[in-house]
Amino acid sequence: MPSLFAFPFRLKPRYQTVQGYSDGEDGTLSELNHEIDDGSAKQTPRGWIPYSTCFVWLNLALFILSSTLFVLSLRPSRPLYVDRIEGQRRNHEWRHLAMPSPLLDEADIRIIRKRINGTLLNTKPPIIYRQEPSHEVDRAWASLYDTRPIALTREQVLAIGKDPAEAVRIPPDWGRGNDSYFGRLDVFHQLHCLDALRREARFDHYYAARYPGGFNSTSGLHQLHLTHCVWLLAQNIMCSASTDVYTHVWTDTLEHPFPDFNIQHRCKDYDAVLAWQRHNALDEGAFVDLRRPEGYPYRVMTHEFKEIHGWFAEHEDNGDFESGEIA
């Protein structure tokens, strides 16, 4: 019985009368001038593919398929984040949890699984971010963030709920066109505030020379900046509201359970955020040197704001206590 695998490769046979016989006038076969060994009319099938050839091609196809699957299995596992789903915008997942940002339009921010180092004791050797104050430690912390401004379009300013008429415009001679504005990524301001708290915890190292009387002798602006940073970080922690959980362990030292803060989180790829920032950041020094153009709208600040910034040293105190506060 023929193999089932041969059927798909079997072509329709065509038959031909073997030379030596032809139809006679009476409808019977008449013998020609030469003899046929068995004396009967034989038929030879044409158009068959041998079974061996079928199996060769089938085995070749299976080999190619299995080889392809093996090679694909060797590829590293993809991150939790899918780069792009057809019909969806870039960073589709993050757009549900974030305000509009040029970064989400221009860079793929993956979701990565990251284990947080939450140990009470320091590592050996100590991780640099937890070492005693030094120039190297300061440089390490400074490398974590980049507070330089970035360029925003008018549409991007409107998307975050701000009025372009009040936003500081990038001068046309900066090469950004006539309708672009200064912006900054909030994550770097948060890290700046955290770095400020780190320095405050080492007050003697960073501020003793300037304020020998201790924290209570610091300027009003210094103390306001500190409280600003503490409350800003608190609000951002509540805004992100991590729902990840941690467990507890028993130790041979304490009678009560001890928390295990070394847990997994699903995080934005911070390296991609920082790389985008460094590629798109504008000149900080030139930004600081900008001065308000004539006729440009401005906010009238409170009396306390002006006093903290020494405004009354060169201006008359107009007694304005009613205006808004944004800084």
Side-chain angles (χ1 to χ4, degrees):
M1 180 177 179
S3 171
L4 293 176
F5 291 107
F7 287 163
F9 302 95
R10 186 176 181 179
L11 301 179
K12 181 179 180 180
R14 296 189 299 273
Y15 296 94
Q16 178 181 359
T17 302
V18 177
Q19 186 177 2
Y21 289 86
S22 63
D23 294 334
E25 293 179 356
D26 58 356
T28 62
L29 293 176
S30 60
E31 187 174 0
L32 297 180
N33 292 330
H34 61 277
E35 296 181 353
I36 304 300
D37 291 340
D38 58 4
S40 62
K42 294 185 177 180
Q43 293 178 325
T44 301
R46 296 190 309 169
W48 288 74
I49 299 178
Y51 293 150
S52 60
T53 304
C54 297
F55 282 116
V56 168
W57 284 104
L58 180 60
N59 289 333
L60 179 61
L62 291 175
F63 173 76
I64 293 174
L65 177 61
S66 60
S67 299
T68 302
L69 294 175
F70 175 73
V71 171
L72 291 176
S73 70
L74 297 178
R75 296 176 60 189
S77 59
R78 294 179 63 82
L80 299 176
Y81 177 80
V82 178
D83 285 341
R84 198 73 53 82
I85 299 178
E86 187 175 355
Q88 289 184 346
R89 298 178 66 189
R90 171 180 263 160
N91 298 305
H92 171 78
E93 291 81 0
W94 291 126
R95 293 180 186 276
H96 293 291
L97 302 172
M99 293 293 289
S101 169
L103 188 148
L104 296 180
D105 296 330
E106 300 172 10
D108 290 313
I109 309 301
R110 297 175 181 271
I111 299 174
I112 60 176
R113 190 183 297 273
K114 185 172 184 179
R115 181 178 180 270
I116 298 299
N117 182 351
T119 56
L120 175 63
L121 301 180
N122 209 341
T123 57
K124 294 181 180 180
I127 186 172
I128 191 167
Y129 305 105
R130 297 181 62 179
Q131 291 181 16
E132 294 297 312
S134 68
H135 180 66
E136 289 72 22
V137 171
D138 292 344
R139 287 184 58 185
W141 273 90
S143 69
L144 291 178
Y145 55 94
D146 183 346
T147 58
R148 289 178 296 173
I150 59 173
L152 301 177
T153 65
R154 178 182 179 86
E155 291 73 22
Q156 289 167 339
V157 172
L158 290 170
I160 62 174
K162 297 297 184 179
D163 184 358
E166 294 186 350
V168 176
R169 184 181 284 114
I170 299 177
D173 58 8
W174 282 43
R176 298 282 174 170
N178 296 322
D179 205 18
S180 57
Y181 304 81
F182 289 105
R184 297 182 196 259
L185 290 181
D186 187 47
V187 61
F188 301 126
H189 179 211
Q190 296 176 37
L191 281 170
H192 152 79
C193 275
L194 185 61
D195 196 15
L197 296 186
R198 176 189 69 88
R199 292 169 179 265
E200 207 67 35
R202 301 288 185 164
F203 188 92
D204 289 343
H205 176 84
Y206 290 103
Y207 302 114
R210 188 186 311 175
Y211 303 111
F215 176 78
N216 290 333
S217 66
T218 59
S219 67
L221 182 59
H222 179 97
Q223 296 183 25
L224 282 174
H225 179 253
L226 181 61
T227 58
H228 150 81
C229 281
V230 171
W231 180 229
L232 181 136
L233 291 176
Q235 292 176 89
N236 276 279
I237 292 172
M238 291 186 288
C239 178
S240 62
S242 174
T243 55
D244 300 329
V245 297
Y246 59 88
T247 56
H248 302 77
V249 296
W250 296 110
T251 71
D252 62 355
T253 307
L254 304 173
E255 295 297 327
H256 55 78
F258 189 78
D260 179 5
F261 295 120
N262 302 298
I263 62 174
Q264 296 281 346
H265 290 283
R266 297 180 68 179
C267 308
K268 290 179 181 175
D269 183 357
Y270 185 76
D271 290 340
V273 175
L274 189 56
W276 183 93
Q277 163 70 19
R278 287 173 173 167
H279 178 74
N280 291 277
L282 304 177
D283 189 328
E284 176 80 16
F287 172 79
V288 173
D289 290 338
L290 288 176
R291 296 296 179 264
R292 186 178 71 235
E294 290 293 332
Y296 207 86
Y298 58 86
R299 300 246 186 121
V300 177
M301 305 305 288
T302 64
H303 187 279
E304 182 181 6
F305 184 89
K306 293 176 178 177
E307 186 175 37
I308 288 294
H309 286 83
W311 193 80
F312 296 119
E314 299 179 0
H315 301 82
E316 183 180 356
D317 186 346
N318 56 13
D320 180 9
F321 289 87
E322 304 300 326
S323 299
E325 172 71 77
I326 63 168

